[in-house]
Amino acid sequence: MSAPRLAALTTPPAIEDADLDEELFELEEVSRHLEQGTLAPNTRRAYAKAWASFTAFGEGHELEVLPAHPETVRWYVAWMATRTKGGAPGAAPRFAVSTIRQHLAGISERHLREGYLDPTGHRSVSDLVRGLARHRVERPERKRPLLRTDVLRIIDLMDVAAYPAGIAAVRDELAIWLGFAGALRRSEVAALRLGSFLLHREDGVHLHVGASKTDQQNILPDVVVLPYGSDAETCAPCALHRWVRLVRDQVEGSDLRARLLSYAWARDHDHHVCGRDGGAPLITSADLVGEGPLLRAVYRNRRDGRIHEDGISGDALHTMLRTRIREAGMDEGPYGFHSLRAGHVTQARRNGASTEEIMRAGRWKRAETVNIYDREHNPLARNSVLHLGL
């Protein structure tokens, strides 16, 4: 039996042929570019932040970090476990167990990428993290859901008739419906392009989410339906028509102030602008062509507003919603953009939707994920306490 062959441990020798050397250099550039697609951008940023923290810890304690000894990693985990918010004794931990695991993943990725053994895989490190998790016994902090009445309250108090602030209000109304009716994550909403949407005469709007947090290779079914609302106030397609028309009007040089006032009147008087009630829609499929971002930054001063070509980020959507919640007289503390996705599940369940229907709408793979939302936010549903004759 022949001995197993191992990959070469040394780099290839220098190439004397200039043409071959140039070609290999170009192939190396291509390979590094393709390698960047291995991790999602947010994951790369998180790993880079984790590695910077670990490097600073090592330098501060005169320890080698690449390659790192498992004992060094253990000390780093212990260091993170003892940090508190604000540095005050007895304060809440600065690093959650999930954050510590993310830091270890960043350390692991850097070692494997540089050709070293993974020190985080050592039994002593994994035992330490398990012990910390048992000691902390942390419950994941979940955002409170925004239900239909909450969403309508927030939207109703957004003055789309005010200029230029109303331009952002038209955009934000669409973003909220995408999160609630579409059950989209903030990263998915921020990534939407004009070409992601298809106007559908019977259904309302079809949109393709594309690559997402749970489908980074974009191979799973990703069609989300935004149905016509019973009236213009709850109609996500109307919100899409208003915003895309404003974007188009700016490109064509139309008066955004006049357009804004006409859309505000249509909303206040429950007039559909999506064509549902037989009227002329504000946009056609020709307006949903191209790779430009759907939700764009809005720059405004006291007298004028402008829609920028750049899209807004998921973090900006999160901040926007919390601001709108506060303006609606609600405590924004327990809420975030994920509250819209959680609200979709909770409201649908309260209205009688099955787990399968909710999984299909939100593209969940596991019923247990939906049931977590159900138990946390709608504990009376399907509960035997209702059958006790109390």
Side-chain angles (χ1 to χ4, degrees):
M1 182 175 181
S2 60
R5 297 182 178 180
L6 301 177
L9 299 179
T10 60
T11 57
I15 304 298
E16 296 182 0
D17 189 315
D19 292 336
L20 288 177
D21 184 60
E22 182 178 357
E23 181 180 353
L24 291 175
F25 176 80
E26 293 176 355
L27 292 175
E28 174 63 16
E29 291 293 310
V30 172
S31 68
R32 291 190 177 276
H33 173 72
L34 295 176
E35 188 179 38
Q36 292 298 313
T38 303
L39 300 175
N42 286 342
T43 304
R44 286 202 303 270
R45 285 191 289 269
Y47 284 0
K49 183 178 179 180
W51 182 251
S53 175
F54 180 60
T55 301
F57 171 82
E59 292 174 350
H61 294 81
E62 298 182 356
L63 298 169
E64 187 176 8
V65 296
L66 192 67
H69 192 279
E71 196 69 16
T72 300
V73 179
R74 279 174 49 84
W75 291 333
Y76 179 59
V77 171
W79 177 83
M80 287 191 290
T82 57
R83 299 304 95 184
T84 59
K85 293 182 178 179
R94 176 182 168 189
F95 296 98
V97 175
S98 59
T99 304
I100 292 176
R101 288 194 172 110
Q102 185 182 72
H103 277 235
L104 292 178
I107 296 171
S108 171
E109 192 274 338
R110 178 58 65 94
H111 277 75
L112 294 176
R113 178 153 53 89
E114 297 295 336
Y116 296 109
L117 293 176
D118 176 14
T120 69
H122 195 276
R123 177 67 180 268
S124 63
V125 177
S126 57
D127 283 350
L128 179 61
V129 176
R130 280 197 297 269
L132 175 61
R134 183 181 293 274
H135 177 73
R136 290 270 184 92
V137 194
E138 296 175 343
R139 287 184 62 84
E141 182 180 352
R142 295 188 176 91
K143 295 300 183 182
R144 187 179 299 174
L146 289 167
L147 302 181
R148 181 181 183 276
T149 54
D150 300 319
V151 170
L152 291 178
R153 176 181 178 180
I154 295 168
I155 291 177
D156 286 344
L157 292 175
M158 292 163 49
D159 188 2
V160 299
Y163 183 84
I167 296 176
V170 174
R171 179 201 65 192
D172 296 348
E173 180 179 353
L174 172 58
I176 290 172
W177 283 125
L178 289 170
F180 184 73
L184 298 179
R185 304 175 179 90
R186 61 180 177 178
S187 59
E188 294 169 344
V189 174
L192 291 174
R193 324 297 287 180
L194 287 173
S196 302
F197 294 83
L198 173 67
L199 301 182
H200 195 280
R201 186 171 57 184
E202 286 79 21
D203 297 347
V205 174
H206 291 183
L207 72 90
H208 287 271
V209 178
S212 64
K213 176 181 177 181
T214 55
D215 183 23
Q216 297 185 12
Q217 295 183 346
N218 193 19
I219 59 176
L220 299 176
D222 68 340
V223 178
V224 170
V225 179
L226 300 177
Y228 295 117
S230 56
D231 54 55
E233 185 183 27
T234 60
C235 186
C238 279
L240 175 68
H241 278 247
R242 294 190 191 98
W243 171 247
V244 174
R245 182 58 183 266
L246 272 182
V247 174
R248 195 190 78 178
D249 285 343
Q250 175 171 279
V251 173
E252 296 178 349
S254 301
D255 184 355
L256 290 185
R257 183 194 297 268
R259 289 292 188 186
L260 194 66
L261 292 176
S262 68
Y263 304 158
W265 184 89
R267 192 185 82 170
D268 291 343
H269 291 79
D270 294 334
H271 289 173
H272 282 278
V273 294
C274 60
R276 179 184 185 274
D277 55 4
L282 288 178
I283 63 173
T284 66
S285 298
D287 298 308
L288 297 173
V289 176
E291 289 301 315
L294 172 71
L295 299 179
R296 307 181 181 200
V298 174
Y299 295 97
R300 62 180 186 270
N301 53 37
R302 296 178 61 184
R303 294 178 295 179
D304 193 17
R306 180 167 59 91
I307 302 173
H308 204 270
E309 293 182 357
D310 295 335
I312 62 176
S313 66
D315 289 342
L317 288 171
H318 176 76
T319 301
M320 173 278 294
L321 181 61
R322 287 173 60 85
T323 300
R324 296 295 186 185
I325 290 173
R326 186 170 61 251
E327 292 174 348
M330 302 165 60
D331 176 18
E332 78 273 19
Y335 297 104
F337 200 86
H338 193 74
S339 297
L340 296 169
R341 184 170 164 88
H344 178 111
V345 177
T346 307
Q347 188 69 68
R349 181 73 85 188
R350 291 187 176 189
N351 292 350
S354 67
T355 299
E356 181 182 3
E357 290 172 323
I358 296 174
M359 288 176 62
R360 183 172 184 178
R363 294 159 293 116
W364 280 282
K365 301 176 185 177
R366 299 170 56 246
E368 181 58 28
T369 305
V370 175
N371 291 333
I372 288 175
Y373 289 102
D374 203 13
R375 288 193 300 271
E376 292 284 337
H377 306 306
N378 193 24
L380 197 59
R382 298 175 298 150
N383 194 319
S384 62
V385 72
L386 297 175
H387 300 277
L388 297 180
L390 302 180

